């Protein structure tokens, strides 16, 4: 349940931040008339994600067992690929997300209502589809016959919505760079389990061989139906009797991906010098928010000391009150 809660929280918070940035920018710049098309686009994106999830859940029930396993395994691999790309993308571009969304919104405002709806739909829809696919794959991998995995996802999404609203109101401040780093690392671990389970599905579908070749079997030490076996499966998609293929896939994915994600190479503070265009954009953004003093002196930093959190608070301060509390 915890793994699925983490997925719902992480994916939902990304979508909530996108909505927060779009709405706060329109309110702050006095263009409230554009809020309705934005909300229409967001609603359409949510409905698309829900519809996609329903198709995945119910559309495969009429298939044969082999077809279900083959589809599940293939989509699990696709889901892991998407979530891996997403965690790396978010870590590298989170500090520029607000400026990017503001630019798209300015262009859409000049083009009319339909462009506003499309901008919001695309901004939230991508997150929604990724979330639906990965949640489906993870719930399928960790399902124990109860509603626990799905309940974890729902609770995570609800938490993300509440956090997004609190960000918008300026009621809380957290270090978003650090938050996305820690949750991204945990999500990579979850993805490794989903990937291994996906390959096991392909083995059961007959696409891959080696279904009876076990890497090890510690079911007697960690019974799958024990509380700790259930906990390990729910958090890490742990299986006490994986096949050789599953074990190899898990290691080959987890070790290099987690090592690269946690490595400071490409992500560290001062990775190269700030380009002139970046500095100009940063200064312009701070000027819109009331100058360097309003920005808290954190512009342009991605070292986990508050750059992302500061810019988000600047974008919402004028729309929803004054932030209180310390940045986490």
């Amino acid at each position: 349940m915890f793994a699925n809660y983490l997925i719902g929280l992480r994916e939902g918070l990304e979508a909530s931040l996108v909505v927060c940035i779009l709405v706060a920018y329109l309110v702050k710049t006095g263009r409230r008339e554009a809020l309705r098309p934005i909300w229409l686009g967001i609603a359409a994106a949510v409905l698309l994600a829900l519809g996609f999830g329903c198709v995945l859940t119910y559309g495969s029930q009429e298939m044969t067992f082999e077809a279900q396993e083959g589809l599940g395994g293939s989509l699990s691999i696709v889901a892991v690929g998407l979530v891996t790309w997403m965690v790396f993308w978010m870590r590298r571009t989170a500090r520029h997300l607000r400026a990017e969304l503001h630019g798209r919104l300015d262009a859409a405002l000049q083009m009319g209502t339909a462009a506003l709806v499309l901008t919001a739909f695309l901004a939230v829809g991508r997150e929604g589809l990724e979330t639906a696919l990965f949640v489906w794959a993870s719930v399928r991998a960790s399902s124990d016959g109860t509603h626990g995995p799905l309940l974890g996802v729902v609770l995570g999404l609800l938490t993300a919505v509440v956090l997004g609203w609190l960000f918008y109101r300026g009621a809380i401040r957290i270090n978003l760079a650090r938050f996305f780093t820690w949750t991204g690392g945990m999500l990579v671990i979850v993805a490794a389990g989903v990937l291994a389970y996906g390959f096991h599905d392909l083995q059961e579908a007959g696409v891959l061989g080696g279904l009876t070749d076990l890497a090890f079997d510690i079911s007697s030490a960690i019974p799958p139906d024990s509380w700790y076996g259930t906990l390990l499966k729910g958090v890490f998609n742990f299986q006490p009797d994986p096949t050789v293929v599953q074990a190899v896939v898990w290691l080959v994915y987890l070790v290099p991906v987690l090592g690269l994600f946690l490595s400071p190479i490409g992500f560290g503070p001062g990775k190269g010098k700030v380009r002139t265009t970046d500095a100009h954009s940063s200064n312009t953004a701070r000027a819109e928010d009331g100058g360097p003093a309003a920005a808290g002196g954190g512009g342009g930093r991605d070292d986990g000391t508050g750059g992302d959190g500061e810019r988000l608070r600047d974008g919402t301060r004028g729309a929803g009150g004054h932030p209180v509390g310390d940045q986490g």
Side-chain angles (χ1 to χ4, degrees):
M1 181 173 173
F2 174 76
N4 295 287
Y5 175 83
L6 174 65
I7 294 170
L9 175 62
R10 163 79 189 218
E11 301 292 302
L13 187 57
E14 288 187 22
S16 294
L17 291 179
V18 169
V19 173
C20 178
I21 292 170
L22 292 175
V23 172
Y25 183 62
L26 291 176
V27 171
K28 188 176 180 183
T29 55
R31 300 181 231 187
R32 292 178 177 267
E33 70 281 356
L35 286 175
R36 179 167 179 159
I38 291 295
W39 285 118
L40 286 175
I42 292 170
V46 171
L47 290 176
L48 175 65
L50 291 175
F52 183 52
C54 289
V55 169
L56 290 174
T57 302
Y58 299 108
S60 61
Q61 292 183 353
E62 302 300 322
M63 298 179 176
T64 64
F65 173 78
E66 289 77 11
Q68 287 183 9
E69 297 303 296
L71 176 65
S74 301
L75 290 181
S76 294
I77 295 172
V78 172
V80 170
L82 286 175
V83 80
T84 303
W85 171 83
M86 178 271 297
V87 295
F88 278 96
W89 176 84
M90 177 54 77
R91 187 168 182 193
R92 290 188 64 89
T93 63
R95 61 175 177 159
H96 305 300
L97 182 62
R98 192 190 65 168
E100 179 181 339
L101 288 173
H102 284 183
R104 293 182 185 177
L105 203 51
D106 284 333
L109 284 167
Q110 308 229 351
M111 297 174 65
T113 302
L116 285 172
V117 174
L118 183 61
T119 298
F121 175 79
L122 292 177
V124 178
R126 180 182 64 83
E127 300 288 347
L129 291 176
E130 287 180 359
T131 302
L133 180 57
F134 193 61
V135 162
W136 178 82
S138 180
V139 168
R140 190 171 183 275
S142 62
S143 180
D144 53 5
T146 69
H147 297 291
L150 188 57
L151 179 61
V153 173
V154 173
L155 290 176
L157 291 173
L158 290 176
T159 304
V161 171
V162 172
L163 287 176
W165 182 79
L166 291 174
F167 285 146
Y168 176 76
R169 300 300 301 174
I172 61 172
R173 296 186 293 177
I174 68 172
N175 190 315
L176 292 177
R178 189 171 301 164
F179 172 84
F180 282 122
T181 297
W182 280 102
T183 58
M186 289 188 286
L187 211 54
V188 168
I189 297 175
V190 173
V194 172
L195 184 63
Y197 188 87
F199 272 81
H200 184 263
D201 279 351
L202 294 180
Q203 289 180 299
E204 290 191 324
V207 177
L208 298 175
L211 183 60
T212 59
D213 299 329
L214 300 184
F216 54 84
D217 187 352
I218 54 175
S219 301
S220 58
I222 307 178
D225 56 352
S226 64
W227 69 267
Y228 46 92
T230 302
L231 179 65
L232 288 173
K233 183 174 179 60
V235 176
F236 302 112
N237 290 313
F238 172 79
Q239 184 176 336
D241 55 346
T243 65
V244 173
V245 171
Q246 281 183 275
V248 170
V249 166
W250 188 85
L251 284 172
V252 168
Y253 170 84
L254 181 64
V255 174
V257 172
L258 188 61
L260 182 60
F261 181 76
L262 297 178
S263 170
I265 299 176
F267 303 116
K271 170 67 178 173
K273 298 297 183 181
V274 176
R275 296 193 301 269
T276 304
T277 55
D278 290 342
H280 175 72
S281 300
S282 178
N283 291 335
T284 302
R286 286 200 299 272
E288 293 175 355
D289 293 333
R301 296 174 62 183
D302 63 346
D303 56 357
T305 58
D308 301 330
E310 290 296 336
R311 269 189 291 277
L312 177 62
R313 294 196 301 278
D314 293 340
T316 59
R317 181 175 296 145
H322 301 283
V324 296
D326 293 326
Q327 195 172 3

